[in-house]
Amino acid sequence: MSIEKFGVIGAGQMGNGIAQVAAASGMEVLMSDIKEEFCEKGIGNISRNLDRMVKKEKISEGDKTAILGRIRTTTSLEDMKGVDFVVEAAVEREDLKFKIFEDLDRICPPGVILSTNTSSIPIGRIAAQTSRSDKVIGMHFMNPVPVMKLVEVIKGIATSEETFQLTWDLCEKFGKTPAEANDYPGFIANRILMPMINEAVFCLYQSVGKAEDIDTVMKLGMNHPMGPLALADLIGLDTCLAIMETLYDGFKDSKYRPCPLLRKYVEAGWLGRKSGRGFYQYT
Ligand SMILES: NC(=O)c1ccc[n+]([C@@H]2O[C@H](COP(=O)([O-])OP(=O)(O)OC[C@H]3O[C@@H](n4cnc5c(N)ncnc54)[C@H](O)[C@@H]3O)[C@@H](O)[C@H]2O)c1
């Protein structure tokens, strides 16, 4: 099956990054969001990313125009009826993703693979909202998508080998390196990363150290390119909290309880870089 038209649900930081890499690989991309202004913001972000690549002479001005020319946007999910493959990258809420998959199952022809960029929601639960669970799979890109090489490809219990192979090949076409994971909460990446970030928030909560010191310890002591609190701000604190909740609910193990300070920040609307304030302030 050849994939020429690629659908992306959600024009946020992950969705617009995925749209960019798909368009850069030569595909026609349709990116959807709930409001026109979110679509425009997504396109603006892609345009700025491409400008940086032109400046660094990684691509030409002509490449930039061609990539942008391959991306269209819509606020109607119904328009996904014409795409060959979908990746969903809407906010990390189970009820919302369930509804999107139920709708996509009705809208898209039966052969179309419906993938999700979820950070932690079990693929099997999402697949169960459709009548094509063999064609539902996790395609978990890393942030920022155009820069990070990894895509975690997650098989649900019913995902077919054909769906897996097609998704794997697509990752390679995008210039990414896929890694295979099975369907348990958090998969591999966030099962390991998120408890570390949560523990860093506990260190701040219990005044073991200030944010800058916690991040310095992990950068210089453990050779991490970025401290865990700065990384949490980049990921989005709402997303971090949602992942911890999924780990906690999925395993019923108290070691995954979200730090109360993380919840407090999210409730205050301090979501990290995207809202201008998280563990650090951004102008
Ligand atoms: N942020 C990260 O580092 C990261 C990394 C890997 C995976 N993810 C996952 O990617 C997904 C998106 O995360 P993000 O960081 O891009 O969030 P974000 O908040 O930047 O973007 C989410 C977008 O989804 C849109 N949306 C909401 N409901 C929608 C609907 N019904 N249809 C279409 N669009 C809708 C929102 O308007 C918003 O623009 C989440 O599942 C998240 O867990 C995030």
Side-chain angles (χ1 to χ4, degrees), residues 48-64:
R48 278 189 300 279
N49 272 342
L50 294 174
D51 278 339
R52 271 194 293 274
M53 292 172 80
V54 172
K55 230 179 215 162
K56 289 184 186 161
E57 296 183 351
K58 286 187 174 165
I59 59 170
S60 69
E61 192 65 47
D63 293 333
K64 179 196 160 186

Side-chain angles (χ1 to χ4, degrees), residues 45-110:
N45 205 48
I46 296 171
S47 184
R48 278 189 300 279
N49 272 342
L50 294 174
D51 278 339
R52 271 194 293 274
M53 292 172 80
V54 172
K55 230 179 215 162
K56 289 184 186 161
E57 296 183 351
K58 286 187 174 165
I59 59 170
S60 69
E61 192 65 47
D63 293 333
K64 179 196 160 186
T65 310
I67 293 168
L68 279 174
R70 283 195 285 271
I71 306 174
R72 287 183 304 120
T73 62
T74 180
T75 53
S76 168
L77 203 63
E78 302 292 325
D79 290 339
M80 290 294 158
K81 63 178 179 292
V83 303
D84 305 320
F85 189 106
V86 179
V87 59
E88 170 278 320
V91 279
E92 188 75 350
R93 264 182 36 213
E94 198 170 84
D95 57 334
L96 195 133
K97 291 197 192 287
F98 281 5
K99 174 78 172 74
I100 291 173
F101 273 77
E102 205 187 302
D103 289 345
L104 285 174
D105 191 41
R106 175 180 49 78
I107 295 164
C108 299

